[in-house]
């Protein structure tokens, strides 16, 4: 069986339509691709012979014989993806459609530096493939989300906060010493946005805020991730108004992250004599109605909302989705909504949805799978 990738041209387009769930039959492929039915059938047979597609079962009839359903072959391959945080990493194996096969969370200290951290991620990938992937099923690509800016051209980390030793580190090149495969390196908020976008199928313009230890934002424009030159959506270092002055980890005063990130809130709680070790602990305090935590979260939401006000007026998105560990604290999203509704133009908020993210904890893994599939299909 010749399970070959990349698949380019018309074959790649057809495989992509099945992988993304847009097409379930040969008739769907002909309708969506514009190819003749005979051309579609020829290419589908080639993809089946290559071990990339399978055809089984029956779909709903549209007036004739019930069509056979197409799906990715279970033996077409897997993708290994990681979502790296400050103190942990979530590792996942996905099929080529982006559906998770297995997800594990492991301790991992980003402050240990890039080489040790990336080697730990790669070791985890190898262990999971050995434990969960049948022999003969190939690994098609690897990817990781980074909680800092990533240059999309070089796939290097650029002046990150709270990531000692990572600046200008060639993440993709280092992983390439372990894997001769397509490699994805992307900012974690961008991956979250790419994963979240699939949960809003009728909306093409989204801002996806990640509120965790740090603060980030991914931007979806016309259904596609907008990277700019690597800093698109980086709201963490927007200056906010304050009666006091706090120096951010980036060296500038009064950045949003210095007041509204999980790290900033943990510091403020510690100064109040309340020790917490991760943003999820702050959420637990809010659920227990601890006033210091509730007040801090409410103020963080207001500051985030004030920054988003400018962006909502400028970009006019369909949706602002709020994810990350702090998003489980209801006062955060309520305060974001209040600030945006109060300060934005009515036209900008007329049909705007501000809501908790829908994709859950694995949003970044799902986004990595979607972007990595594209890379695997086109990688020379």
């Amino acid at each position: 069986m010749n399970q070959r990738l990349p698949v380019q041209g018309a074959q790649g387009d057809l495989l992509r339509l099945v992988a993304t769930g847009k097409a379930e039959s040969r008739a769907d492929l002909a309708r969506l691709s514009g190819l003749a039915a005979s051309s579609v059938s020829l290419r589908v047979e080639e993809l089946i012979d290559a071990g990339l597609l399978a055809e089984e079962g029956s779909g709903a009839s549209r007036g004739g014989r019930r069509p056979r359903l197409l799906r990715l072959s279970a033996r077409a391959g897997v993708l290994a993806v990681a979502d790296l945080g400050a103190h942990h990493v979530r590792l996942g194996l996905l099929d080529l459609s982006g559906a998770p096969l297995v997800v594990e969370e492991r301790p991992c200290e980003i402050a240990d530096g890039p080489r040790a951290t990336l080697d730990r991620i790669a070791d985890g990938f190898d262990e999971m493939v050995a434990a969960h992937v049948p022999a003969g099923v190939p690994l098609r690509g690897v990817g990781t989300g980074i909680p800092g800016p990533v240059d999309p051209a070089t796939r290097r980390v650029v002046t990150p906060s709270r990531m000692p030793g990572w600046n200008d580190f060639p993440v993709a090149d280092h992983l390439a010493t372990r894997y001769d495969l397509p490699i994805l390196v992307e900012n974690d908020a961008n991956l979250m946005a790419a994963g979240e976008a699939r949960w809003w199928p009728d909306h093409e313009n989204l801002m996806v805020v990640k509120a965790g230890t740090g603060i980030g934002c991914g931007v979806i424009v016309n259904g596609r991730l907008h990277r700019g030159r690597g800093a698109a959506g980086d709201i963490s270092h927007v200056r906010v108004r304050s009666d006091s002055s706090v120096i951010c980890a980036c060296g500038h005063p009064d950045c949003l992250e210095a007041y509204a990130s999980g790290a900033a809130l943990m510091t403020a709680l510690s100064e109040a004599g309340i020790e917490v070790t991760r943003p999820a602990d702050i959420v637990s305090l809010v659920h227990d109605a601890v006033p210091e935590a509730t007040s801090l979260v409410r103020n963080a939401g207001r500051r985030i909302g004030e920054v988003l006000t400018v962006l909502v007026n400028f970009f006019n998105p369909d949706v602002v989705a709020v994810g990350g560990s702090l998003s489980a604290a209801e006062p955060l999203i309520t305060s974001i909504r209040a600030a945006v509704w109060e300060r934005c133009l009515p036209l900008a908020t007329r049909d705007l949805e501000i809501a908790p993210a829908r994709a859950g904890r694995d949003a970044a893994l799902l986004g990595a799978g979607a972007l990595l599939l594209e890379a695997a299909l086109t990688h020379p």
Side-chain angles (χ1 to χ4, degrees):
M1 184 181 295
N2 179 24
Q3 296 176 317
R4 64 188 185 276
L5 283 180
V7 180
Q8 299 177 344
Q11 275 191 339
D13 294 338
L14 299 181
L15 184 62
R16 191 177 293 106
L17 287 170
V18 175
T20 56
K22 295 178 181 177
E24 294 184 336
S25 67
R26 300 185 189 210
D28 289 342
L29 289 175
R31 175 174 52 85
L32 293 170
S33 69
L35 295 173
S38 57
S39 296
V40 168
S41 289
L42 175 63
R43 288 169 172 81
V44 166
E45 291 297 337
E46 291 172 345
L47 289 167
I48 291 173
D49 290 343
L52 297 173
L53 283 184
E55 197 170 30
E56 60 186 27
S58 298
S61 172
R62 294 186 177 180
R65 187 172 57 183
R66 297 176 69 186
R68 299 266 287 170
L69 291 177
L70 289 168
R71 61 169 179 80
L72 288 171
S73 169
R75 303 189 67 80
V78 297
L79 305 170
V81 294
D83 180 19
L84 179 61
H87 306 293
H88 73 281
V89 63
R90 288 179 69 76
L91 303 174
L93 296 180
L94 317 179
D95 67 21
L96 294 192
S97 71
L101 303 174
V102 59
V103 175
E104 296 181 5
E105 184 167 311
R106 301 186 179 195
C108 186
E109 292 295 327
I110 204 167
D112 289 343
R115 288 180 176 82
T117 300
L118 294 172
D119 288 345
R120 195 168 293 127
I121 289 173
D123 290 343
F125 285 159
D126 294 346
E127 293 166 7
M128 292 172 69
V129 167
H132 300 287
V133 179
V137 177
L139 181 63
R140 297 294 194 183
V142 299
T144 183
I146 302 291
V150 175
D151 184 330
T154 65
R155 293 176 294 175
R156 290 171 176 255
V157 182
V158 183
T159 58
S161 301
R162 296 186 300 275
M163 295 175 65
W166 285 79
N167 183 46
D168 203 38
F169 188 81
V171 176
D173 292 345
H174 188 80
L175 289 173
T177 63
R178 297 276 294 259
Y179 303 103
D180 183 20
L181 293 167
I183 293 173
L184 172 75
V185 181
E186 186 59 84
N187 171 262
D188 58 350
N190 283 351
L191 292 184
M192 176 181 283
E196 184 69 18
R198 301 183 70 172
W199 290 79
W200 300 86
D202 299 324
H203 300 81
E204 292 200 327
N205 299 295
L206 292 83
M207 293 170 56
V208 182
V209 177
K210 181 175 183 179
T213 301
I215 294 178
C217 182
V219 182
I220 303 293
V221 181
N222 295 329
R224 300 184 66 85
L225 177 65
H226 176 65
R227 295 182 176 89
R229 290 181 294 168
D234 188 355
I235 64 173
S236 57
H237 300 294
V238 174
R239 190 168 186 172
V240 297
R241 293 180 299 172
S242 176
D243 295 333
S244 59
S245 185
V246 176
I247 300 299
C248 178
C250 73
H252 290 105
D254 300 333
C255 294
L256 175 65
E257 185 162 302
Y259 290 95
S261 67
L265 301 190
M266 287 189 287
T267 297
L269 285 170
S270 177
E271 292 171 352
I274 302 173
E275 294 298 328
V276 291
T277 59
R278 54 180 184 160
D281 296 337
I282 302 172
V283 176
S284 297
L285 294 176
V286 172
H287 290 165
D288 289 338
V290 175
E292 293 87 349
T294 303
S295 177
L296 285 169
V297 166
R298 187 175 290 117
N299 287 334
R302 178 178 56 81
R303 291 187 182 278
I304 294 170
E306 289 172 354
V307 169
L308 292 178
T309 295
V310 179
L311 303 177
V312 166
N313 277 334
F314 177 78
F315 176 44
N316 198 194
D318 306 312
V319 173
V320 174
V322 184
S325 50
L326 286 179
S327 67
E330 190 272 339
L332 183 87
I333 296 179
T334 300
S335 297
I336 291 173
R337 282 197 193 106
V340 172
W341 296 147
E342 177 186 351
R343 295 170 179 266
C344 276
L345 296 171
L347 182 61
T349 58
R350 182 176 56 184
D351 299 312
L352 175 67
E353 289 192 58
I354 301 176
R358 295 175 174 178
R361 296 185 68 192
D362 294 333
L365 300 182
L366 300 177
L371 297 177
L372 194 52
L373 173 65
E374 189 72 22
L377 288 176
T378 58
H379 182 69

